[in-house]
Amino acid sequence: MFIRTMSALIGAPILLTLIYLGGPYTAFLVAILTLLALREFLQIGVQMGVNPWYIQTTAATAVWLTSLFTGREEWIMAALLFWFLICLGRLALTYPKSTLSEANFNLLAVVYAVVLLSHLYLLRQVPRGIEWTFLTIFLVWATDTGAYLIGRQFGRRPLAPNVSPKKTVEGSAGGLLFSVVVAIGAWHLIGGSSLIIYVVLGVIIGISAQVGDLFESALKRGAGVKDSGNLIPGHGGILDRFDSLIFALPLVYYGIILLS
């Protein structure tokens, strides 16, 4: 617990500072996080017996991040579509050496570890982006805290026993409740938008953060590993720490665009 706490006390300020500074600082943060997350995801594939495409996925990541950081929005969808066609094309040209599950896994590697996580940069770029980004992070933390506290005290019914036996329905409800309560508190402190937008974001993050956590747990179950990596002492890997944010960030980004 000491190591875990010290890692959080060191890592959280660095994360928040780079986001606060924005621009190239946030871009640097996102580039590092996505490349490390991609590496961990591919290593999980190795444990599952899937052949990872290190060169191709890294090249696809470089193209995606370049399009993102240079503001070439017209390239972003093209880059994603191009990667999809590459995966299908490699399957077609090398079958049966390459399998459909292999192509799907490597396609998902870029989408999950890079495309979804890089919405951290996109969210930071929108009007009032620093507020929305910090709000997302704090609501994810509130969800995790609420699920842990309520689940530990009142948890009885398993939520997803085959994926994460310790998580309960009561804990999940507690996480959602904490997210909404913190969102309402943030509305009183920050304002700038209607209360309903904050409440909706609280619900979206309270649900998506938990689904993201369960998805990453399912990945690790399938690979038979406890953590996605050992980069962060006491916490595991990048995917272990950002699994909830990976699902929440895109939903908040597009939610803000639609609701604002």
Side-chain angles (χ1 to χ4, degrees):
M1 181 59 69
F2 174 76
I3 296 176
R4 184 182 180 90
T5 302
M6 290 303 297
S7 295
L9 290 176
I10 295 172
I14 295 174
L15 171 73
L16 296 177
T17 298
L18 291 174
I19 294 173
Y20 174 80
L21 293 174
Y25 299 96
T26 304
F28 172 77
L29 172 66
V30 169
I32 296 298
L33 290 178
T34 53
L35 287 170
L36 291 173
L38 175 66
R39 178 175 177 271
E40 290 179 1
F41 193 92
L42 295 177
Q43 288 177 334
I44 289 175
V46 172
Q47 297 299 319
M48 290 179 172
V50 177
N51 178 36
W53 303 345
Y54 287 106
I55 296 176
Q56 292 89 340
T57 53
T58 302
T61 298
V63 172
W64 172 266
L65 293 179
T66 299
S67 303
L68 194 67
F69 298 154
T70 56
R72 301 303 298 266
E73 297 182 1
E74 69 274 16
W75 290 2
I76 292 179
M77 184 56 67
L80 187 58
L81 178 60
F82 190 54
W83 174 238
F84 177 73
L85 294 176
I86 287 177
C87 291
L88 296 184
R90 172 160 175 165
L91 172 64
L93 294 172
T94 62
Y95 182 84
K97 182 179 180 181
S98 294
T99 63
L100 181 59
S101 60
E102 177 183 309
N104 287 336
F105 185 87
N106 284 281
L107 172 64
L108 182 61
V110 174
V111 173
Y112 174 69
V114 179
V115 174
L116 297 185
L117 183 53
S118 64
H119 278 74
L120 174 61
Y121 179 82
L122 287 170
L123 183 59
R124 179 61 180 85
Q125 298 302 108
V126 302
R128 300 177 59 206
I130 186 172
E131 297 173 14
W132 296 124
T133 306
F134 278 0
L135 178 65
T136 302
I137 293 173
F138 291 139
L139 291 187
V140 166
W141 288 348
T143 300
D144 291 343
T145 301
Y148 174 77
L149 294 177
I150 300 300
R152 184 177 182 180
Q153 188 69 29
F154 303 104
R156 298 292 183 272
R157 292 171 291 179
L159 177 65
N162 294 326
V163 175
S164 187
K166 293 184 179 181
K167 287 184 172 60
T168 62
V169 173
E170 294 81 3
S172 178
L176 178 59
L177 177 62
F178 268 51
S179 179
V180 173
V181 169
V182 172
I184 294 174
W187 175 73
H188 283 286
L189 291 174
I190 303 173
S193 297
S194 68
L195 174 61
I196 188 64
I197 290 180
Y198 279 82
V199 172
V200 169
L201 290 180
V203 172
I204 289 174
I205 294 172
I207 295 174
S208 62
Q210 297 187 64
V211 175
D213 184 24
L214 289 172
F215 174 77
E216 202 250 348
S217 295
L219 279 177
K220 293 186 292 186
R221 286 279 177 182
V225 296
K226 182 177 182 295
D227 296 317
S228 64
N230 55 9
L231 180 67
I232 309 172
H235 291 268
I238 295 298
L239 293 178
D240 293 316
R241 286 302 87 208
F242 289 85
D243 51 1
S244 300
L245 269 172
I246 288 175
F247 271 47
L249 286 167
L251 294 178
V252 174
Y253 172 71
Y254 293 108
I256 291 298
I257 291 177
L258 292 174
L259 295 175
S260 299

